[in-house]
Every structure is written in structure tokens, then in C-alpha cells.
Amino acid sequence: MRYLSTRALNADDAKPFCDILLEGLAADGGLYLPETYPQVSAETLEQWRELLATEGYAALAARVIGLFIDDIPADDLARLTAAAYTGPKFSDPQIVPVSRIGAGPLWLGHLSNGPTAAFKDMAMQLLGELMEYELSRRGSWMTIVGATSGDTGSSAEYALRGRDGIAVVMLTPAGRMTPFQQAQMFSLSDPNIVNVAVEGVFDDCQDLVKAVHTDAAFKATYHLGAVNSINWARLVAQVVYYFCCWLRVTDGPGQEISFAVPTGNFGDICAGHIARAMGLPIRRLILATNENDVLDEFFRTGVYRPRGPEQTWATSSPSMDISKASNFERFIADLYGRDGARVRELFGAVAGGGFFDISGTPEFEAVRTGYGFVSGSSTHADRVATIGRLWREHGILIDPHTADGVKVAEQYVADEPVVVLETALPVKFAETITEAIGEPPPTPERFAHIEEGPRRVVDLPNDVDALKQLIVGTVESLPSLVR
Ligand SMILES: *Cc1c(COP(=O)(O)O)cnc(C)c1O
């Protein structure tokens, strides 16, 4: 299996999995896609049903992901998935359990049992294993420099802590994360994890990260890398739980189910699109946004119009507060039959601050009829009402992002079961939960003492040279780097 950029798609440039694993974005600004999607037959699915029941999630992950990778031996890959998807990192031995909401058509697919209680762990834990494996095989090392306002950064840190050949320098806006998020990150004591509190807001952090990554000489000397949401390895790890949820909800071949997915950067639901393209019997992919509804707008109207920062609202489902959907280009490439020139044209218009409009075209017609997408959005009032109702009627407590998914799923209920992907645990969003049910969410035992204990964080002025100095010092202090 080889990989091509969404913008070039020239077969001569195709690369193996482990090259694009370490690379992230393609040189032409596009995103990597496999040349084709491997097809999974009904018989294979039934074998996997048996495999999941006897050997568990990690074994299923090795099979699904193995279809996309031919430059890692199968035994090694099985070892890596076993290390990624295991207790106590994941609090539930099933890794991704499902549960039914009452006796109705809606189910929850639980993706938040990882170390940071958010679904990002599903991808990051495997990415950490894969990166350490490949860097060691190449005798190389990497310095991950990123910015976070919450979930992604802490998930990356928990996936990369203590790993050989990898350092993490993570920028956060000083004083602007929730106490829980701060505690989660700043309580890590591993020498290869460096938390930085920048005097400024999240955009300042992102600008600093961009400045060091665009200094080509500095980037080469200090082996700078990233683990952002466009990394193909993160996406392929997410494909697995669609298979897992289907296997857990159905009991025989050919049964169709739908998924409702709280969506920000189009990563989570893009993995569902890929699972469906592989032959998994998914009837509909129900995309749910919050008030930042740029994707709901596209799926309703055919107009994709990214927003500026002044039109991006801070909501009570903050991990979905996006202005543009960084993974969306992958779906558009598939929709246009991998026509790289067309993708370049469409996203060229967007990059210039514009939009594209494919309403009235056969391609837009196919979004619904051929690819099964429908969409909806929700508001703060919807989230609070949905959380309160599920709590009162079923004794089930969900987080605000999952509530966006449930609300939109209810608009589309038909005959088939609908799995709403649960993307975070309520404990992370105490304020909204308290508003909805009149009391704070329970704290799972493993997070009980997180806000006590010492903290490690470096204060940094909003200054590129100061950041460079910090990176140099970090690299020089770690014996497993610079080998
Ligand atoms: C990242 C995130 C999302 C959005 O996922 P995308 O892959 O960006 O669409 C939804 N909910 C939570 C809790 C998240 O952390």
C-alpha cells in the first residue's frame, strides 16, 4: 500500500506508510491518502467478529490497520497495537465498549476510556508506538513542537511520555486552560515532556510554533515534527473503532447501522467515511457540529466557507470550535475521484480567504446518495437540554460534545441502530454538566488526585528566539536524542 497527496496524485511520487508517518503534510500542501481503500468482505467481517470476541480490540486493530501498512511486519504491528490498547492506559478492558440508550435505536460508542478521557487517545496512543518504533529503526529522533488549548496536547503528551528518541515541547496560553486540563498536562514529570505557558492567547502559541517550523535550517537541525490531526496514522487508527462498534452492535452479516459523530476538524468522521468505503455496512454518517457550523453548512448547501477568527465562537463544546476543517480535503478528493487538479483548484479558492460552492453538481448529489452523509448543528441550550434529559430519563451522563452528537442523531432516527460516538468524559466539563443536572460530574478514581502534586511548566514570553533557546536546551539535555 502506497500513499499519494490529495493535490498531486501522481503515482510516481507514491510513498510507503512509514515515510508519511513521520512527514505529516505533503510537500505540495495536500494530505496523504492511500492509493486505494482495501476491501473487506462479509466473510472477513465474520472472522473479525470471532477475533474481537476471543482476542480483543488490539488484535482487531492489527488486522484492520495491517491492510494499510506493508512496511511493518505483521508481528511487530500486533505488538504495537497490543502496547497501545491495553490497561491501565485504558480503563475498560474492552477498550471501546458500546452501550444502548434505554431500549431505543441510539447507542453510545465509548471512545474516552484512554489516559486523558478524550477520544484523541484512540489515535495518539498508537501514533506514539508507531513513531518510537520507526525512529528507532532508522536510528533517528524527533522534537515535536506543538500548541494546544486543551485536548490534543495532553493526549499527545500521554502518548509520547518516556519514549526514546522523542521530545515534546508543547505551548499553551498561560492561564487559559481549565484547571483539569492544566493539571493533566503539568503533572507529568517525564524529562522528555516540556510544558510551556506562553504570555498570550492560543493564536500567539500557534504563531510561535509556525515560526519555528518555517525556519528550514532550525527545523532540520533539531528534527522538528508534529502530531496534528492531518497525520494519516491518526486517521487509520480511528478506522478501527467503526469496525469494532459495528461488530458489537450487530449479530450477523450485512446488518446496516449508522454513526453520529461530533465533528470539528473532520478527522473522526473521515475515518467513518473510510470504513464505509472499505465495505463496512454503514447506512448513514450523521455529522454533528456546534454553533461553529461550517461543515453542517457544506453538507446542507454544498457551500464550503471557512470562517475567520472573528466568526469562530467559543462554545461549551470547545473541542469542536473550528473555523476550517483540516481533514475535509480528503473527503473532497474522494468525491472528485482523486482528481488532484480539481482539489487544488477548490482548496486554492479557500486558501485565499474565499469559499467553494458545488451545489447543483452531481458530486454534491452523491454526498448524500452515494456517501451517506447527513448533518445538523446544535446550540448551548440544546446541549444542556440533551444532557439533562439523558440523565433524568436513563441515568446516563454524557459530555457536551457527545450531547451535540445525540441531539443531531435524534433528528435522523429511522429503523437502523445509530451509534453516537462519545468523544470525552463529563468530568472534563464540570461547568456545563452542573448547569444541566444541578450537580458536578463524578470524578473517576484515576483522576481523583490529579489537581494535587507538583507541576512542571516553563513560563515563556511571546518571543521566537526564547522558544528556540528552549528547544535547543531540551534537545541537548536528553541523551536519547542526537544519537
Ligand atoms: C477533537 C474532538 C472532537 C472533534 O473531532 P474531529 O476529529 O476534529 O472532528 C470532538 N470532541 C472532542 C471531545 C474532541 O476532543
Side-chain angles (χ1 to χ4, degrees):
M1 181 65 72
R2 296 173 77 81
Y3 292 85
L4 294 166
S5 161
T6 45
R7 300 206 181 169
L9 301 172
N10 177 350
D12 294 343
D13 301 332
K15 294 183 175 180
F17 176 85
C18 288
D19 284 7
I20 66 155
L21 165 69
L22 300 176
E23 208 175 307
L25 205 64
D28 62 11
L31 310 183
Y32 284 112
L33 278 176
E35 284 175 312
T36 56
Y37 294 126
Q39 295 301 301
V40 178
S41 69
E43 294 77 58
T44 302
L45 283 174
E46 293 314 301
Q47 286 163 12
W48 286 355
R49 192 185 297 284
E50 186 65 26
L51 181 77
L52 179 63
T54 54
E55 293 180 45
Y57 188 89
L60 175 70
R63 292 298 175 83
V64 176
I65 297 167
L67 298 174
F68 291 91
I69 302 180
D70 40 38
D71 51 347
I72 297 177
D75 286 353
D76 287 0
L77 184 60
R79 201 166 39 72
L80 298 176
T81 60
Y85 302 117
T86 183
K89 287 181 192 169
F90 285 82
S91 62
D92 189 304
Q94 293 195 49
I95 309 299
V96 176
V98 297
S99 62
R100 193 167 182 179
I101 302 179
L106 296 191
W107 297 65
L108 293 171
H110 300 277
L111 308 181
S112 328
N113 293 314
T116 71
F119 97 99
K120 303 281 189 303
D121 293 331
M122 295 304 307
M124 285 292 187
Q125 284 297 322
L126 185 69
L127 185 65
E129 297 294 337
L130 287 166
M131 288 181 76
E132 185 178 49
Y133 172 86
E134 186 56 21
L135 287 168
S136 132
R137 198 157 70 160
R138 295 179 180 206
S140 189
W141 53 279
M142 191 174 269
T143 312
I144 303 293
V145 180
T148 189
S149 56
D151 286 340
T152 311
S154 60
S155 182
E157 292 188 348
Y158 279 77
L160 297 172
R161 60 188 294 199
R163 294 200 184 273
D164 275 345
I166 302 176
V168 179
V169 176
M170 193 61 71
L171 277 54
T172 63
R176 286 177 193 258
M177 292 193 302
T178 67
F180 186 89
Q181 285 172 325
Q182 292 187 33
Q184 224 175 20
M185 292 178 69
F186 301 168
S187 61
L188 289 177
S189 58
D190 309 75
N192 75 324
I193 304 293
V194 179
N195 284 303
V196 185
V198 174
E199 277 168 33
V201 295
F202 178 59
D203 284 337
D204 298 322
C205 299
Q206 273 197 313
D207 290 345
L208 284 175
V209 170
K210 204 166 176 186
V212 294
H213 276 278
T214 46
D215 180 340
F218 188 83
K219 182 173 172 136
T221 307
Y222 294 97
H223 296 210
L224 300 194
V227 289
N228 43 32
S229 75
I230 52 88
N231 189 300
W232 168 259
R234 279 179 62 177
L235 211 51
V236 80
Q238 293 172 196
V239 171
V240 178
Y241 52 71
Y242 284 88
F243 282 87
C244 174
C245 289
W246 183 84
L247 292 168
R248 293 204 198 282
V249 170
T250 64
D251 54 15
Q255 295 172 21
E256 284 195 317
I257 67 171
S258 293
F259 284 89
V261 189
T263 303
N265 275 317
F266 203 78
D268 199 353
I269 200 163
C270 190
H273 156 66
I274 293 164
R276 194 176 183 277
M278 292 168 73
L280 189 68
I282 297 176
R283 182 171 298 170
R284 290 173 302 169
L285 289 164
I286 302 168
L287 179 147
T289 71
N290 61 22
E291 293 89 334
N292 295 294
D293 59 354
V294 54
L295 284 171
D296 178 39
E297 180 178 9
F298 171 79
F299 284 95
R300 276 186 296 105
T301 67
V303 176
Y304 180 59
R305 191 194 307 272
R307 318 271 162 85
E310 71 290 345
Q311 289 173 302
T312 306
W313 323 119
T315 76
S316 51
S317 47
S319 299
M320 293 156 62
D321 292 347
I322 55 101
S323 50
K324 64 179 194 322
S326 53
N327 266 293
F328 186 51
E329 185 168 327
R330 287 193 162 106
F331 174 66
I332 293 295
D334 283 346
L335 188 62
Y336 280 89
R338 305 286 183 93
D339 178 347
R342 192 83 178 95
V343 173
R344 255 196 323 273
E345 189 187 316
L346 292 170
F347 284 88
V350 168
F355 65 95
F356 63 72
D357 179 357
I358 65 165
S359 60
T361 64
E363 284 81 9
F364 185 58
E365 183 66 22
V367 165
R368 198 172 280 251
T369 55
Y371 292 87
F373 275 94
V374 292
S375 72
S377 67
S378 72
T379 63
H380 176 74
D382 292 328
R383 284 186 279 286
V384 169
T386 304
I387 294 167
R389 187 162 43 77
L390 256 63
W391 177 243
R392 286 190 309 274
E393 293 178 5
H394 303 288
I396 296 173
L397 191 58
I398 55 173
D399 98 292
H401 304 79
T402 311
D404 289 329
V406 169
K407 188 262 176 181
V408 176
E410 284 173 338
Q411 280 170 238
Y412 287 102
V413 159
D415 301 330
E416 81 281 12
V418 178
V419 178
V420 181
L421 295 180
E422 177 200 61
T423 56
L425 292 187
V427 64
K428 302 186 83 167
F429 304 98
E431 202 179 317
T432 305
I433 301 296
T434 306
E435 185 181 342
I437 68 168
E439 56 184 286
T443 302
E445 176 51 34
R446 64 201 164 107
F447 301 116
H449 305 290
I450 197 164
E451 292 182 36
E452 301 155 15
R455 299 185 167 205
R456 278 176 71 244
V457 56
V458 182
D459 293 317
L460 196 83
N462 184 0
D463 176 69
V464 181
D465 288 325
L467 175 58
K468 285 183 176 168
Q469 264 177 32
L470 179 70
I471 293 169
V472 173
T474 302
V475 168
E476 286 174 351
S477 73
L478 290 167
S480 82
L481 305 193
V482 203
R483 24 190 169 202

